[in-house]
Amino acid sequence: MNKNEKRSEKRACFAPADMGHWVECRINGEIKSFKVLNMCENGIGMLVRQSDADILDVFRPDVLLTITHITPRGRMEVNALIRHVSPITKGEFKGGGCVGFSISI
């Protein structure tokens, strides 16, 4: 593990082509869908693409919300606490962001 890494759990990273895991949440009265970038036992990293980057301002650390986690096996509503909002500065998703949640059922 990187010495600067703050996570205590290993993450499972998904290839960008993996269409099996999504997060849905209500933003300004509208349901929006986001790709899951990575997961661990108690958390999800959600991709906000550059085309939707203007809504990153809606996500603030320590805000609690209900999200729907969609997997190939089904859907589950979970309580999600926003832990971080991190800009993506390199690669295919440059200009977007990753919103990290800790989750509980």
Side-chain angles (χ1 to χ4, degrees):
M1 185 177 333
N2 179 332
K3 70 178 182 175
N4 294 323
E5 183 68 53
K6 295 179 182 176
R7 289 178 187 82
S8 60
E9 301 169 328
K10 289 188 176 189
R11 293 179 292 169
C13 294
F14 296 93
D18 174 14
M19 303 301 272
H21 292 260
W22 293 87
V23 169
E24 286 183 346
C25 57
R26 187 172 298 277
I27 299 172
N28 299 327
E30 181 181 344
I31 294 177
K32 298 283 243 173
S33 296
F34 301 94
K35 173 84 177 80
V36 172
L37 284 177
N38 54 59
M39 293 176 57
C40 66
E41 186 175 323
N42 297 310
I44 295 176
M46 173 184 90
L47 170 66
V48 177
R49 293 184 181 270
Q50 183 177 12
S51 58
D52 289 326
D54 58 319
I55 65 170
L56 281 171
D57 291 337
V58 172
F59 298 106
R60 296 279 180 226
D62 299 323
V63 170
L64 182 64
L65 58 146
T66 300
I67 62 172
T68 302
H69 181 205
I70 302 165
T71 74
R73 293 184 173 172
R75 306 166 64 94
M76 179 177 15
E77 280 199 4
V78 295
N79 296 316
L81 179 65
I82 299 173
R83 293 293 185 182
H84 69 84
V85 179
S86 303
I88 299 175
T89 59
K90 297 189 252 185
E92 179 181 358
F93 303 119
K94 180 179 179 179
C98 178
V99 178
F101 299 102
S102 61
I103 57 173
S104 61
I105 298 174

